[in-house]
Amino acid sequence: MRKDLQVDSEKELSGKTVLLMAIATGIIVANLNYIQPIEGLIAASFDVSKATVGVVAMLTQLGYAFGLLLIVPLGDVFNRYHLIQVMLGLSIIALFLAFLAPSIEIFGLASLLVGITSVAPQIIIPYAAFLAPSLHQGKVLGNVLSGLLTGILLSRSFSGLLGSVLPWQYVYLIAAIICALLLLVLHRYLPRDPRSHSSMNYGKVLASLPNLLFKEPHLQGSAINGFCLFGVSNVLWSTLAFYLAHTYHYGSGVAGLLGLLGITGVLFASIIGRLVDTYSPRMTIGLGILFSTLAFVLFALFGHMFLGLIVGIVLLDLGTQFGQVSNQAIVQSLSLKASSRNNSIFMFSYFLGGSLGTFFATFAWSHFGWTGVCSVAAVFLVVAILGHLVLKEPQKLQRSK
């Protein structure tokens, strides 16, 4: 990177800009999680099985994974200021389609499109890393990712509570209106991209992805770890509403309220970023695996006790955040020129794990109950531990130029 460009970038990244980026990532990523607390309501509305709605929820995650693979790499080629706004506009259209869907088939298509188009946060994250001062990249990423996690947890609460008082379709209508307001704010206040236009075309960008993965062992490690930890997270959140209804006879409102327990991860996001900068991403990823494992030990042994469920959710969200911030810091340290493509590979694996976690967990719930759900999580955690031992994360970050 040219020295003058670095100086100009750092001037752009004020505290207000970081806050705007954090808020934007939170609002947009929320689109992916609205379905989780209201799956039972959707099943009843369309008169389909819970397993069918589980497949629709998986389509949202799977669509996001392919959006990450096919769209996010364009951040290394096109102007990110414009690309972010284009994708946000398309997600607004997809949300309106979900609101108007007359059948489960149309709603499934809309959910797939919501996933594909809601990738702007994964363009914003490498953009923030690009603009961030080198010595504070972990802190900046932690702050932006805290917005991401806030969006995830508040989306569950928003969706669950709104679904308990209004028809569930209004969740998507209100989400579309919020995203439209965000689009106006981003158009006015998001920093302009200072980079010159890249000579790479779309075909070359996509063709470069396998080579980037094969030549970067740390990218491989982060991809496997993200796959497993987000898969574990979705194992819980895709079945929690079913478990609460079956065990405690609670509705979507309680499932939404439990999402607020993820505030622990939000509060720790900036601290985790500082730990990554100061100490070791290998250490913080190890902590993420540990917290996630302890969470499902609690779910398996004490899930029938509400206190055990609460403590487990706090640990799980904390583990997810430790993994997310640490892995993003590793991925964004590898190459500035390929930051969007590296992020695309990592987040594709991340949400592929999430979609498979959703699918296998809902399948396990339908056939084996809560024991089956915890068993699916155990498989993801074993793979995470093996990846952590074999593909060692860096002890210290060194940002590439």
Side-chain angles (χ1 to χ4, degrees):
M1 177 187 283
R2 297 196 331 264
K3 183 177 179 181
D4 60 329
L5 184 55
Q6 179 67 36
V7 171
D8 290 343
S9 305
E10 293 180 12
K11 286 181 179 178
E12 289 280 5
L13 203 68
S14 65
K16 291 181 180 179
T17 301
V18 174
L19 179 61
L20 173 61
M21 288 180 161
I23 292 171
T25 58
I27 289 174
I28 301 168
V29 80
N31 298 337
L32 306 174
N33 300 285
Y34 290 134
I35 191 172
Q36 291 175 343
I38 58 174
E39 288 182 22
L41 299 175
I42 296 170
S45 173
F46 289 122
D47 194 23
V48 297
S49 68
K50 293 175 181 177
T52 299
V53 180
V55 171
V56 173
M58 180 197 71
L59 286 175
T60 305
Q61 302 288 342
L62 201 59
Y64 193 70
F66 280 98
L68 292 166
L69 187 66
L70 300 175
I71 297 172
V72 170
L74 294 176
D76 286 336
V77 181
F78 295 117
N79 185 291
R80 282 180 278 204
Y81 169 78
H82 296 299
L83 183 60
I84 290 166
Q85 294 177 69
V86 169
M87 296 314 303
L88 182 53
L90 293 174
S91 70
I92 293 168
I93 296 172
L95 289 166
F96 271 117
L97 180 60
F99 166 67
L100 297 170
S103 66
I104 190 65
E105 291 82 10
I106 300 299
F107 181 68
L109 174 62
S111 297
L112 179 67
L113 293 175
V114 166
I116 292 172
T117 58
S118 296
V119 295
Q122 303 309 324
I123 303 169
I124 293 172
I125 289 169
Y127 194 23
F130 173 80
L131 297 172
S134 300
L135 295 177
H136 301 290
Q137 187 185 65
K139 178 182 176 182
V140 169
L141 285 173
N143 288 332
V144 174
L145 289 169
S146 69
L148 192 80
L149 185 62
T150 301
I152 292 172
L153 73 92
L154 289 183
S155 66
R156 295 170 183 148
S157 302
F158 170 82
S159 176
L161 293 172
L162 192 62
S164 66
V165 297
L166 289 174
W168 63 265
Q169 291 92 338
Y170 281 85
V171 171
Y172 291 93
L173 175 62
I174 295 173
I177 294 170
I178 293 171
C179 285
L181 294 174
L182 175 64
L183 180 58
L184 296 176
V185 174
L186 290 179
H187 181 74
R188 175 67 178 84
Y189 295 106
L190 189 68
R192 270 53 173 181
D193 195 338
R195 301 169 307 159
S196 57
H197 182 72
S198 172
S199 60
M200 293 183 70
N201 60 39
Y202 183 59
K204 288 182 179 179
V205 168
L206 292 184
S208 70
L209 296 180
N211 184 54
L212 288 172
L213 179 62
F214 290 137
K215 78 175 185 179
E216 290 284 3
H218 292 322
L219 180 58
Q220 296 166 19
S222 291
I224 292 173
N225 184 261
F227 177 97
C228 294
L229 291 189
F230 193 56
V232 165
S233 176
N234 274 21
V235 165
L236 172 75
W237 289 108
S238 62
T239 56
L240 182 61
F242 303 149
Y243 184 66
L244 289 172
H246 177 267
T247 306
Y248 300 100
H249 307 290
Y250 291 151
S252 65
V254 176
L257 285 173
L258 286 176
L260 290 175
L261 294 172
I263 192 67
T264 306
V266 176
L267 296 175
F268 272 84
S270 183
I271 297 172
I272 297 168
R274 292 189 183 96
L275 289 175
V276 173
D277 283 336
T278 307
Y279 296 104
S280 165
R282 178 165 175 76
M283 177 195 73
T284 50
I285 284 176
L287 288 173
I289 295 172
L290 175 62
F291 289 140
S292 298
T293 302
L294 290 175
F296 267 93
V297 170
L298 282 174
F299 294 146
L301 297 179
F302 305 108
H304 60 284
M305 300 170 57
F306 204 65
L307 180 61
L309 202 60
I310 289 173
V311 175
I313 289 173
V314 170
L315 286 172
L316 182 63
D317 280 327
L318 196 57
T320 302
Q321 188 72 337
F322 262 93
Q324 171 76 330
V325 174
S326 304
N327 283 312
Q328 281 285 3
I330 292 171
V331 170
Q332 296 306 323
S333 73
L334 298 176
S335 170
L336 287 177
K337 291 182 179 179
S339 61
S340 287
R341 283 170 287 163
N342 285 334
N343 192 54
S344 174
I345 293 168
F346 166 64
M347 292 306 299
F348 172 76
S349 180
Y350 191 81
F351 275 88
L352 182 62
S355 65
L356 292 178
T358 296
F359 175 76
F360 286 117
T362 52
F363 176 84
W365 171 259
S366 299
H367 293 82
F368 308 105
W370 192 241
T371 301
V373 170
C374 294
S375 299
V376 170
V379 173
F380 277 97
L381 288 167
V382 168
V383 176
I385 292 169
L386 291 175
H388 182 61
L389 295 175
V390 175
L391 293 170
K392 300 181 184 296
E393 299 86 6
Q395 293 289 354
K396 204 72 174 170
L397 293 179
Q398 293 185 353
R399 190 179 186 188
S400 299
K401 295 297 181 184

